[in-house]
Amino acid sequence: MSGLTFGKLMIAAAKGNQKQTVTTLEERREANRNLMDRVTPTIDEIRVQQQCALEESKPIVLR
Amino acid sequence: MAETPPEEKEPESLPKKPRLRVVGFADAADVVAAVSRALREHAGSMSENATPLLACCDHAAQLGARSSIVQERVLDPDFLSEFNAYYSRQFANCGRYCLRVHFFRTQAQTGDAPLDFLGRIEKADYLGFITLRPVARSPVGASFLTTANSDARIRCMDHFPVHLGGVRFDISGTPFLQQDNAVGACAQASIWMALRTMRKREGDRAFDPAQISGAATRFSVAARILPNRAGLTWTQMLDAVRGAGYSPHQVRFAKIASAIQLTAEETREAKRQIAVYLDSEIPVLLLLFPPPRGAGHAVVAVGYRFTGQPAAMDLQNISLDNKVGVQVPHAAGWVNELIVHNDNSGPYLPLPNVRVKNSYALEHAYSAIPLLPADVFLTGEEAMAIATNLWLSQIQDITQDQTANEVADFTQRFVVRLLLVEKRRLRDWAVTSGVAAEVAEELRLGDLPRRVWAMEIHFRDEYAKHAEEDARSVVGFYLLDSTGDDHTNTMLMSFLNFPIFTELPSGVLLRSASWDLIQTQECPLLPPFRSINQNAKTEPHTEAEPQGNAPIDTG
């Protein structure tokens, strides 16, 4: 089960004989966890960058 | 003794000029001459710093203006707000009426009877109007001109009905306004242009210039409010945006707001982030701080020039996980340069990526403020991170048995484009796109939030064809919940038409609501959710016109 992703689920479905496949709760959790592992650092970085910029910025006038 | 009745005063009479008069143009240069003449009569003089007015006239001339109707005594609501806030309180006399110059492609002679003229012109020949304030130094008030015929893709625009002498005309364009340098500066003018562009789509919410200044300075004051010569700080701009009902979201490209000089890579990164919002038809306020002084200036991005042949260095690769080692070109690589409304220069002007002579340029951008609807909790940057990761992960899974070079070649066959799409547009797309029946059914019958972030996956070669035509280039997409915040639960649906780009036998639809995977019927390359070749669609964004969103009543 380790390393299961949405991509692998979709490829398996494309190859499969069944027209419709329902994922198990365990599969969903695994795919979600893998996505979270990949995305979280990036999202955190975006939010931290935003925070740092707010702290470092001086309000300068636009006219 | 009988009291003598007071002498009855004559009511103050309006000037006797005819309300509408026809003015013909001999040639393009005559447009400027005629409008300048009208302004001198109206405002008493004309400032030498008339760049925005001249640019508006040039734009009308480029559109093919051959005649105009000059409309006297216009009570323009936006100028009235400025008049009430400021000009009415001055000792010196300043009129409250504006002058409007309506442009037509139809040839006419000066002095033609206006009703005869209105009776014979084709409605398609109407090009919009310039409103002239009775303020010589900053004459261009709320003005609506259609877009010029060019390679510019105006993404942020709307459809405006105009009534003139009992005839209704319709124009599609992006509202333009010059700062008056009293009630508002560039920041207020840019916010006004962005708000008016979004007005219909977002339920008739838009501030007039005085309301923008009020909302901006409600909690934080840096200088005098009236006259507002000092402009606004970016925090005040965010206050105004928030006050108007939008999310105070700011995307930063530099740390310090002074004398910004982005590197080429940073400029491309900025363009990529801005393009996401423009493709969503969301106008983007750009805060520019050009060196050497770093004097701040705000403009509003409304579109871009699209190129079918991006230079190799303009291809934008995104890789969020170095371990994966695959990078995908982003649609912003095909964006040549942005198109902006610059209140001190004119409408629909290119903003070069790097400075040309003394021009403003994207490389001077400190940050961008997109008018993100307040109920969109997932920003474009976050949606991009999630959707790109899904796609990169998919590529990794498809190519797991291939060499690094083969994987690189494979990924370069695609382009990703992210945009915010309304639910009803998705449903419309499902009806007309030719997508597989299973996907169409899910899009038409399934539960969806009002807006979704959609990442389209395009074939790169087909994507370039959008420079010339409405091409079919989409091989799949991911839909994300724009109201989601927990980024692992934002995916609503994905569809990949595998047979078109892999050896897999069937396309697959993943429905997150039921967590099932459905093999889909064969279907061709698909059109994008929003046209890339055309300007933004200009039909009303809501099924019913919201109350109070009256047509522009020009009499």
Side-chain angles (χ1 to χ4, degrees):
Chain A
M1 193 64 71
S2 178
L4 185 61
T5 62
F6 294 117
K8 284 181 179 153
L9 287 169
M10 289 186 76
I11 290 171
K15 287 178 179 169
N17 294 324
Q18 287 179 298
K19 183 162 172 52
Q20 184 166 344
T21 315
V22 179
T23 56
T24 66
L25 185 60
E26 199 178 344
E27 285 172 327
R28 295 175 215 176
R29 282 182 177 155
E30 175 72 14
N32 247 332
R33 193 160 47 244
N34 278 324
L35 176 64
M36 188 167 70
D37 286 349
R38 295 165 61 98
V39 173
T40 301
T42 313
I43 298 277
D44 285 349
E45 195 181 329
I46 291 171
R47 291 176 181 172
V48 167
Q49 275 177 356
Q50 193 77 357
Q51 195 66 37
C52 291
L54 276 171
E55 287 164 5
E56 290 169 16
S57 287
K58 292 183 291 183
I60 297 188
V61 165
L62 296 101
R63 57 186 169 181
Chain B
M1 190 174 165
E3 201 173 311
T4 312
E7 196 174 321
E8 259 188 41
K9 279 188 178 176
E10 287 264 327
E12 203 174 312
S13 59
L14 293 169
K16 298 298 182 191
K17 280 185 181 174
R19 201 170 62 79
L20 303 179
R21 64 178 195 274
V22 176
V23 176
F25 305 135
D27 52 32
D30 207 21
V31 178
V32 173
V35 174
S36 302
R37 206 162 41 240
L39 176 62
R40 285 198 184 89
E41 288 174 16
H42 177 58
S45 64
M46 183 170 165
S47 165
E48 288 179 3
N49 182 24
T51 310
L53 178 63
L54 299 180
C56 286
C57 293
D58 282 347
H59 185 76
Q62 278 176 31
L63 291 169
R66 289 289 170 269
S67 60
S68 64
I69 286 186
V70 177
Q71 182 184 6
E72 299 277 351
R73 300 185 291 284
V74 174
L75 285 170
D76 176 76
D78 291 295
F79 178 68
L80 276 181
S81 86
E82 294 168 331
F83 180 84
N84 289 334
Y86 182 70
Y87 297 101
S88 64
R89 296 154 72 180
Q90 288 190 301
F91 178 69
N93 185 35
C94 176
R96 64 194 172 107
Y97 292 113
C98 290
L99 190 79
R100 276 204 183 126
V101 183
H102 300 264
F103 296 102
F104 301 87
R105 284 199 194 93
T106 316
Q107 194 73 54
Q109 298 299 316
T110 299
D112 281 357
L115 294 186
D116 289 348
F117 178 68
L118 285 170
R120 71 180 163 89
I121 54 181
E122 295 289 331
K123 289 193 176 182
D125 281 351
Y126 183 62
L127 301 171
F129 64 82
I130 303 175
T131 300
L132 297 175
R133 300 179 179 113
V135 181
R137 69 167 184 274
S138 51
V140 184
S143 298
F144 297 74
L145 293 168
T146 60
T147 53
N149 298 325
S150 71
D151 57 347
R153 306 280 190 267
I154 305 303
R155 297 267 84 113
C156 310
M157 59 196 292
D158 210 340
H159 172 90
F160 301 92
V162 178
H163 292 264
L164 184 63
V167 180
R168 174 180 161 145
F169 298 98
D170 295 287
I171 53 168
S172 300
T174 314
F176 178 78
L177 178 90
Q178 174 188 19
Q179 64 176 288
D180 74 331
N181 201 22
V183 178
C186 66
Q188 287 95 325
S190 297
I191 293 170
W192 180 91
M193 293 187 267
L195 288 176
R196 282 305 291 266
T197 304
M198 296 284 280
R199 176 173 165 173
K200 259 199 235 175
R201 202 188 325 170
E202 294 304 316
D204 200 25
R205 295 195 314 266
F207 283 169
D208 60 42
Q211 287 173 320
I212 292 170
S213 287
T217 55
R218 188 173 171 201
F219 303 113
S220 153
V221 176
R224 287 190 300 165
I225 310 296
L226 287 172
N228 191 305
R229 305 254 194 267
L232 300 178
T233 64
W234 59 259
T235 48
Q236 290 174 321
M237 290 179 71
L238 288 178
D239 271 338
V241 166
R242 180 182 172 220
Y246 294 87
S247 178
H249 177 49
Q250 184 168 208
V251 187
R252 285 163 200 280
F253 312 126
K255 284 185 176 175
I256 305 292
S258 63
I260 305 292
Q261 181 73 59
L262 299 179
T263 64
E265 182 52 40
E266 288 169 338
T267 304
R268 279 197 289 275
E269 170 74 8
K271 192 168 64 170
R272 179 169 70 74
Q273 293 185 304
I274 293 163
V276 165
Y277 293 103
L278 293 179
D279 278 329
S280 306
E281 298 180 3
I282 291 174
V284 181
L285 305 168
L286 296 179
L287 283 57
L288 307 173
F289 292 87
R293 290 195 305 127
H297 182 54
V299 299
V300 56
V302 298
Y304 50 72
R305 286 191 199 284
F306 187 89
T307 174
Q309 294 179 315
M313 61 181 290
D314 268 353
L315 290 173
Q316 298 194 0
N317 297 326
I318 23 183
S319 176
L320 299 169
D321 182 350
N322 290 333
K323 284 180 290 185
V324 177
V326 291
Q327 299 181 311
V328 183
H330 184 275
W334 280 255
V335 171
N336 210 347
E337 56 189 1
L338 302 181
I339 301 292
V340 299
H341 270 11
N342 183 343
D343 91 286
N344 72 12
S345 301
Y348 307 115
L349 298 176
L351 181 73
N353 296 316
V354 296
R355 175 175 258 180
V356 180
K357 293 183 181 173
N358 290 323
S359 73
Y360 290 105
L362 185 56
E363 66 178 353
H364 304 145
Y366 162 65
S367 68
I369 301 175
L371 252 60
L372 194 63
D375 58 357
V376 174
F377 300 143
L378 194 70
T379 68
E381 301 76 65
E382 292 166 345
M384 176 62 82
I386 296 166
T388 308
N389 234 309
L390 284 162
W391 175 234
L392 293 183
S393 167
Q394 184 71 68
I395 287 180
Q396 191 182 31
D397 292 331
I398 291 170
T399 60
Q400 58 182 342
D401 299 327
Q402 298 182 14
T403 65
N405 284 343
E406 287 170 336
V407 174
D409 288 346
F410 182 78
T411 57
Q412 290 298 312
R413 291 171 58 198
F414 304 96
V415 179
V416 298
R417 183 175 87 133
L418 181 74
L419 65 165
L420 193 64
V421 189
E422 294 84 1
K423 169 175 59 180
R424 73 180 175 81
R425 284 204 180 184
L426 280 178
R427 300 208 202 279
D428 290 348
W429 181 89
V431 174
T432 58
S433 63
V435 71
E438 298 83 356
V439 182
E441 182 179 322
E442 181 64 19
L443 284 173
R444 295 178 70 184
L445 299 180
D447 292 321
L448 289 170
R450 185 179 171 200
R451 305 175 180 88
V452 300
W453 284 108
M455 179 180 267
E456 301 164 340
I457 315 292
H458 299 258
F459 265 151
R460 181 169 154 180
D461 289 346
E462 305 302 317
Y463 190 80
K465 293 180 181 171
H466 288 285
E468 303 296 332
E469 59 186 5
D470 275 327
R472 286 178 168 265
S473 54
V474 174
V475 301
F477 57 80
Y478 296 93
L479 301 185
L480 305 181
D481 179 3
S482 69
T483 66
D485 191 32
D486 175 0
H487 50 265
T488 59
N489 286 319
T490 53
M491 187 170 70
L492 297 166
M493 181 194 302
S494 67
F495 166 62
L496 292 173
N497 196 3
F498 285 122
I500 241 167
F501 65 96
T502 68
E503 292 177 356
L504 291 167
S506 163
V508 174
L509 165 70
L510 170 61
R511 302 193 299 193
S512 295
S514 52
W515 283 101
D516 52 0
L517 296 135
I518 299 169
Q519 289 183 356
T520 56
Q521 295 171 19
E522 193 176 322
C523 77
L525 281 172
L526 299 167
F529 292 121
R530 284 202 180 106
S531 171
I532 298 164
N533 177 256
Q534 307 288 321
N535 282 335
K537 284 197 171 184
T538 56
E539 67 263 28
H541 288 279
T542 48
E543 284 77 4
E545 247 179 47
Q547 280 196 343
N549 189 26
I552 301 162
D553 183 8
T554 62

